Structure formats: C-alpha cells, structure tokens
Amino acid sequence: MKLGICFSIACLGLPLLAQTPNSSLGISLAPSKGPAALSLPVEIILLLTLLALLPALIMSLTPFLRISVVLHFLRQALSTQGTPSNQVLIGLALFLTVVIMQPVAADMYHKGWEPLESGQVSWQQAWNDGSQPLKTFLLRYVREKDVRLFLEISHTPWPRDRSELGLGVLMPAYVLSELKTGFQIGAVLFLPFLVIDLVVASVTLSIGMVQLPPIMLSAPFKILLFVLVDGWNLVVGSLVRSFY
C-alpha cells in the first residue's frame, strides 16, 4: 500500500518537475545542455549510491579512523568505562574530520563534480580530476610498506612515480597505515596512566589491601592528572596538527 502511494506520487511529480526547469529545488527533467550532462534519474541513482557508500568512506579514508582509534584508547587508559560514551567520541571524531577534510572535499567538488554537472567534461575525466585531491591526501600519510603489500596482492607492477598509484591500492594501504599510527599514539597515551596503575597497585599490595581492586584507587588519580594538564586540549590539538 505504502509502496503504491509512493510510486503514484513519483509518477505525478515527475511531469511537474519536467515542466518547471527552474524550480526551487534546482531539479529539472529538461533536456541536457551538454553532451556529457546527466539526466535527473541518473543523478538520483548516483547520489543514492554515494550516500550508501558514504559512511564506509568517511570511516576508512579520512582522519576519522585515526582519531576514533586514539580516542577509544584514551578512554580505556583513563579507566572511565563508558564515559565519554561512544556517541560523544564518534561525534567528536566526525567534527574534527570535517574540519580537516573540508579543503580536500572542496577541491574534489570543484575539479570533478562542477565540470561534469555543467557538461564540460566526460565521466572519465571528471573522475580523474575529482579523485586527484583525495589521492594527494592519501599519498601524504600512506606507508611504502603497505603500498608494496597491496601491489603484490593485486599483482600490479610498481609504478615509476607515487602519483601513478591507483585508488585500488591507496585506499587499503591508507587504512593499514592509519591503524598502525593510531595504535602507536594509543600506546604512547597508555604509558603515563600505566605508571599510575603500577604505583597504586604496588602500594595497595604493600599495605595488605588485597581485596580492593587497584583500579578503583588509580582511576581518580588518572582523571585528576588528565584534567590538570588539560588533556583533551592536548590530545585533540595534537591529533589535528598531525594532519597538517
């Protein structure tokens, strides 16, 4: 029933959109102005496909991966259980990702989508031009070891220049590189809090407090130390500056 109503609305609405090329939504079914311009159904299919792939792309091919890994390591090091919650950490990582990736996304839009939408370039040229800013960003942080691994897996010969690497190799190599970097930063964050845990555990054992978990005593000291050094400012600032 609901599917039939939606289909009827779509059938009634499409002729109206075709008659109003200058509608407030900016959508029209009027004939294309250029040989490479896209019709409305094709644009809708492309947009829906991109929206379906967008979460995976944001989590894997942006600073979101490194930031989220480091923030979760930090929460475990502080021994605060579920505080901050996963929603807060993911939201913070997402906002920081938007700040860092805004220039790259703007370059991709101006170099790829705008010429394609106006019918100035073909699909292949728009893809090559639009993906170039993303390739430049990935090349900046990818490790040569990870690139070599996926070149061997895909049986692709080593290119003469790093700029000739394709996204099929760069994307998984970037994920591995960011995972290693995130774990390295997380291990460094763990060290000062681990020292506090060891000191508190040795003190409690020396005075015979065996039944009291040391983590219950060390957690307030770790939180106090983190607040005194303005830890959130230091961690977030260091993460953002690592991408510039």
Side-chain angles (χ1 to χ4, degrees), residues 58 62-64 67 90-106 240 244:
I58 291 177
T62 63
F64 182 89
I67 296 173
I90 292 175
L92 177 59
L94 183 61
F95 289 137
L96 295 178
T97 302
V98 171
V99 172
I100 298 171
M101 292 297 294
Q102 186 175 1
V104 179
V240 173
Y244 288 98

Side-chain angles (χ1 to χ4, degrees), residues 123-156:
W123 262 105
Q124 293 78 7
Q125 187 64 33
W127 171 259
N128 293 332
D129 296 341
S131 61
Q132 193 60 41
L134 180 61
K135 290 176 62 176
T136 303
F137 174 81
L138 298 180
L139 282 170
R140 192 179 305 168
Y141 304 104
V142 73
R143 296 189 307 158
E144 184 177 349
K145 184 178 180 180
D146 296 326
V147 172
R148 185 180 294 108
L149 171 64
F150 286 100
L151 286 175
E152 294 175 356
I153 292 175
S154 61
H155 302 287
T156 303

Side-chain angles (χ1 to χ4, degrees), residues 16-63:
L16 294 176
L17 290 174
Q19 296 175 3
T20 58
N22 296 322
S23 62
S24 60
L25 294 176
I27 300 175
S28 173
L29 288 179
S32 302
K33 296 182 180 179
L38 299 177
S39 61
L40 178 62
V42 176
E43 289 186 1
I44 292 177
I45 293 174
L46 290 176
L47 289 176
L48 291 178
T49 304
L50 290 176
L51 288 176
L53 297 176
L54 189 60
L57 295 176
I58 291 177
M59 290 187 293
S60 303
L61 303 181
T62 63

